[in-house]
Amino acid sequence: MCGIVGYVGKRDSQDILIEGLKKLEYRGYDSAGVAVFTQNGLEVRKTKGRLAVLESALGEKPLHGSIGIGHTRWATHGKPSDVNSHPHTDNAHKFSVVHNGIIENYMALKDELIAAGAQFVSETDTEVIAHLIASVYEGDIVKAVQKAVSRMRGAFALGVLTEYEPDKLVAVRLASPLIIGVGEGENFIGSDIPAILEHTRNVYILNDGEMALLTKDGVELMTIEGNFISRELFHVDWDITTAEKAGFDHFMLKEIHEQPKAYRDTMGARLNDEGTAILLPELKLTAEQIKSISRIHIVACGTAYHAGLVGKNMIEQLARIPVETDVASEYRYRSPIITKDTLVIVVSQSGETADTLAALREAKRCGAHVLAITNVVGSSVAREADSVIVTWAGPEIAVASTKAYTSQLIAFSLFSLYLAQTLGTQPASAIAETIAAMKKLPEQVESILARGDEIKVYAEEIAKHQDLFFIGRGVDYAVALEGSLKLKEISYIHSEAYPAGELKHGTLALIEEGVPVIALAVQEDLFEKTVSNVKEVKARGAHVLGLGQEGHEELPKAVDQVFSIPRTVSLLTPALSVVPLQLLAYYASLALGHDVDKPRNLAKSVTVE
């Protein structure tokens, strides 16, 4: 996720671009840049680091001109650096592009452009766009952008300038948000409404497959095929704070709703064109090295640890390699047995978690190959690991992790299937079937989110209680742990998760009349045993919410209330079943009047032991 802003009008664009980027910095903050038409032509200024670094550089040497584009970056392709920052240009510096999203076929396009003489200076997929537009330009920037976009596969929002037509700004949307702000004698583009709200409240919200041509005198909307569109302006009556959250009351709720996009982006270019195989070019392990792996250690903290528990199940079932999962703060102190045949997977949203970093360094000292799963390109974990799978969830603002966790589940799914594919432990047909199910997950999550009011009613009821229990078996237990953590983090309700089969070994003593129990019964092969455990807590007076898959007739008979998730293959169910639990925690916290985004005593990234 990155932030885009653009301006064309009569005023000096630099300050407008910087102020717009400040409103979008929550979308990305590892680098920033602007491109402005000045009396010297198209000039670009960009820097690694927070927006303040760019602002300082422009303060010393400003760019004066009335048309420009700006960008604040959350890296996906290429580490954070000056050269990888946006905007990007072609070799002649006649075209400039800012981009939010992922170009899935950028490597093929890059090879083709290099063969035609293009010289690349960055590691990004975005630079491909600038060279591609330059290669097809024949005097009409709109047609050139349309030709280029027809060659690109992925999800993207673009802002494009060319020195050949210095009064025009072109914007394109395909699966990444982009809005057009309409003023008097000036017009704007932005990734989100906050970027332009200071200047206008009249906007066009582009739909997928649409683009716009902006001049200071007007805006033309069209499809990327060139068909013109007529649309009424939307008048924004939100305040700035609400606009930053895209109309949601809290960042946490916004991020819960961003999960379908995070799923799509994390899968992205990691599926082949046919959707039958996994591609992980970022994995620096040969097939021979993979075949030599004798054991895997997954090391993480908190929510990432819970993702690791699901990952353990996935790897063992699909690749048949034994896996140990450890809390990072304990890992070094138990003298783990690490050999050159051990693969160590460290998981961290921020990539800066102190305990996880320490575990990574210990694993490397012992000669293990370390794979990092992280949400931050250029983080310490990403820099120090041997291989990195980036979860393209975009920045998380809320302290309680939601989309970062579920993106980690997608990363583990991809990696587990890749191992199975390489080792031959699963038939190709089974792998293709699981991939097909993965591709349906975003739409299935959207269907769960559409039923949020059902969860809200139950959450308001449990907010009246001081204690609550989650039970489940297999990966349902791993999800129960995450659901319980979310509830504790932001509602402060005492909550515990237990393996359902352990109830008779002491936990039943805690069950009394009226206590809420959330029973995850999503695993079909464990369903009957879980229902048996549900009957045990029901017999002792518990009020049970059952979480199961659609179409199951037995669960409603065993519990007091049911919430059903769409059907999918067993190992992928955590990516769906956790979503109602995230909403449960959110609405319970809301009912209790707590600060959802900033729970007491907690920080987003734990950078000390």
Side-chain angles (χ1 to χ4, degrees):
M1 185 186 291
C2 303
I4 289 173
V5 65
Y7 173 78
V8 54
K10 299 175 182 178
R11 292 188 280 168
D12 221 14
S13 64
Q14 175 183 295
D15 291 344
I16 295 171
L17 297 175
I18 291 297
E19 289 306 311
L21 291 176
K22 285 180 180 178
K23 299 297 192 302
L24 297 177
E25 196 171 14
Y26 70 88
R27 297 180 63 90
Y29 36 75
D30 58 43
S31 58
V34 297
V36 175
F37 281 125
T38 71
Q39 61 183 5
N40 299 319
L42 184 60
E43 292 193 62
V44 174
R45 197 74 48 79
K46 53 187 184 176
T47 60
K48 175 186 173 182
R50 292 275 185 167
L51 183 59
V53 180
L54 175 67
E55 189 174 14
S56 177
L58 289 170
E60 294 176 8
K61 193 176 180 181
L63 299 176
H64 297 294
S66 59
I67 180 170
I69 50 177
H71 189 272
T72 182
R73 184 173 187 243
W74 179 264
T76 54
H77 287 80
K79 63 186 179 183
S81 66
D82 289 354
V83 72
N84 285 335
S85 306
H86 298 214
H88 287 280
T89 66
D90 66 310
N91 293 140
H93 295 273
K94 300 297 183 184
F95 297 84
S96 185
V97 176
V98 289
H99 166 221
N100 173 26
I102 298 162
I103 308 303
E104 295 175 3
N105 60 333
Y106 84 100
M107 283 302 300
L109 293 171
K110 185 174 182 178
D111 291 342
E112 177 185 317
L113 290 161
I114 289 173
Q119 296 180 357
F120 283 77
V121 298
S122 78
E123 304 168 286
T124 69
D125 55 342
T126 303
E127 190 182 353
V128 166
I129 305 170
H131 291 291
L132 185 59
I133 293 172
S135 72
V136 299
Y137 183 74
E138 296 178 339
D140 187 324
I141 186 58
V142 171
K143 290 182 178 178
V145 170
Q146 290 169 342
K147 287 180 183 178
V149 166
S150 71
R151 299 284 314 282
M152 292 156 45
R153 190 175 70 250
F156 46 83
L158 308 177
V160 183
L161 300 177
T162 177
E163 194 171 301
Y164 297 120
E165 300 175 65
D167 60 337
K168 296 177 181 177
L169 167 58
V170 177
V172 184
R173 172 182 175 163
L174 186 65
S176 287
L178 200 64
I179 58 101
I180 310 297
V182 179
E184 295 183 6
E186 58 184 6
N187 293 296
F188 311 80
I189 67 171
S191 294
D192 275 350
I193 288 171
I196 56 89
L197 203 52
E198 183 180 338
H199 307 289
T200 181
R201 289 181 172 269
N202 294 318
V203 303
Y204 292 119
I205 299 174
L206 292 183
N207 296 319
D208 283 349
E210 294 180 351
M211 62 186 294
L213 171 64
L214 289 76
T215 65
K216 65 180 177 60
D217 298 318
V219 175
E220 290 183 352
L221 303 180
M222 65 197 82
T223 66
I224 56 178
E225 292 80 21
N227 300 315
F228 288 96
I229 299 167
S230 177
R231 178 172 299 152
E232 289 187 8
L233 283 167
F234 172 68
H235 182 76
V236 180
D237 53 11
W238 308 334
D239 60 27
I240 289 287
T241 302
T242 303
E244 287 177 349
K245 297 168 185 169
F248 292 100
D249 291 335
H250 298 89
F251 279 111
M252 182 181 177
L253 186 60
K254 175 176 177 283
E255 289 158 9
I256 289 171
H257 280 259
E258 287 175 342
Q259 287 176 121
K261 182 179 186 303
Y263 286 22
R264 293 184 181 102
D265 288 349
T266 301
M267 283 185 262
R270 291 161 174 158
L271 306 179
N272 69 355
D273 290 344
E274 295 76 24
T276 57
I278 306 296
L279 308 174
L280 285 179
E282 61 264 59
L283 195 64
K284 295 179 173 61
L285 283 169
T286 65
E288 289 70 25
Q289 287 174 310
I290 288 173
K291 290 172 183 175
S292 72
I293 295 171
S294 61
R295 73 185 78 185
I296 294 174
H297 294 174
I298 299 175
V299 187
C301 300
T303 285
Y305 171 73
H306 295 158
L309 292 174
V310 177
K312 168 186 167 70
N313 277 272
M314 290 178 172
I315 293 169
E316 288 189 336
Q317 290 194 39
L318 292 172
R320 309 305 298 158
I321 300 173
V323 180
E324 298 176 24
T325 307
D326 276 271
V327 175
S329 58
E330 297 290 331
Y331 184 67
R332 287 179 297 152
Y333 305 115
R334 71 171 180 84
S335 299
I337 299 171
I338 305 171
T339 70
K340 61 181 177 61
D341 297 329
T342 304
L343 172 66
V344 176
I345 303 175
V346 296
V347 191
S348 170
Q349 186 280 137
S350 69
E352 302 295 344
T353 310
D355 290 314
T356 305
L357 264 171
L360 180 157
R361 290 163 182 161
E362 175 66 10
K364 290 196 72 171
R365 187 187 68 78
C366 294
H369 186 100
V370 177
L371 166 64
I373 296 177
T374 183
N375 197 35
V376 183
V377 175
S379 62
S380 298
V381 160
R383 291 195 308 271
E384 296 187 31
D386 300 297
S387 299
V388 183
I389 297 177
V390 176
T391 56
W392 293 329
E396 262 192 345
I397 307 302
V399 167
S401 179
T402 52
K403 63 176 182 174
Y405 166 77
T406 47
S407 296
Q408 289 163 1
L409 299 185
I410 299 299
F412 271 118
S413 302
L414 293 165
F415 179 67
S416 303
L417 288 166
Y418 185 81
L419 289 181
Q421 187 176 283
T422 304
L423 297 171
T425 50
Q426 300 295 324
S429 59
I431 291 173
E433 180 183 346
T434 304
I435 292 172
M438 285 178 66
K439 292 169 72 175
K440 293 178 182 177
L441 290 174
E443 183 179 342
Q444 292 176 320
V445 171
E446 287 166 354
S447 73
I448 294 172
L449 295 173
R451 298 162 56 208
D453 286 346
E454 296 177 41
I455 293 295
K456 183 178 180 181
V457 171
Y458 188 74
E460 290 171 347
E461 180 59 34
I462 67 167
K464 302 172 185 176
H465 294 264
Q466 293 182 329
D467 300 282
L468 186 142
F469 299 96
F470 291 77
I471 59 172
R473 288 174 175 262
V475 291
D476 282 351
Y477 171 56
V479 175
L481 285 166
E482 176 59 15
S484 176
L485 177 61
K486 283 293 152 289
L487 191 68
K488 284 183 282 197
E489 278 181 313
I490 62 172
S491 76
Y492 318 143
I493 296 171
H494 171 248
S495 169
E496 300 294 340
Y498 293 101
E502 286 291 293
L503 286 171
K504 291 179 181 177
H505 297 275
T507 312
L508 272 175
L510 297 171
I511 303 298
E512 57 187 27
E513 189 69 32
V515 68
V517 172
I518 297 173
L520 282 79
V522 178
Q523 304 303 300
E524 289 295 330
D525 57 337
L526 296 169
F527 179 81
E528 291 182 357
K529 290 187 177 296
T530 303
V531 168
S532 175
N533 302 135
V534 167
K535 291 177 179 178
E536 291 171 348
V537 297
K538 281 284 292 175
R540 287 153 181 84
H543 184 279
V544 181
L545 170 66
L547 192 64
Q549 293 200 53
E550 287 177 349
H552 215 299
E553 297 179 358
E554 297 303 314
L555 187 59
K557 300 175 184 177
V559 300
D560 297 289
Q561 292 174 259
V562 175
F563 189 93
S564 298
I565 63 169
R567 286 194 167 271
T568 188
V569 301
S570 178
L571 282 175
L572 298 180
T573 54
L576 300 178
S577 59
V578 75
V579 177
L581 302 186
Q582 294 169 343
L583 291 169
L584 183 77
Y586 171 79
Y587 285 119
S589 179
L590 204 63
L592 291 166
H594 300 316
D595 187 337
V596 173
D597 288 334
K598 296 179 181 178
R600 67 190 183 200
N601 305 330
L602 299 178
K604 186 62 183 171
S605 179
V606 182
T607 56
V608 294
E609 289 193 64

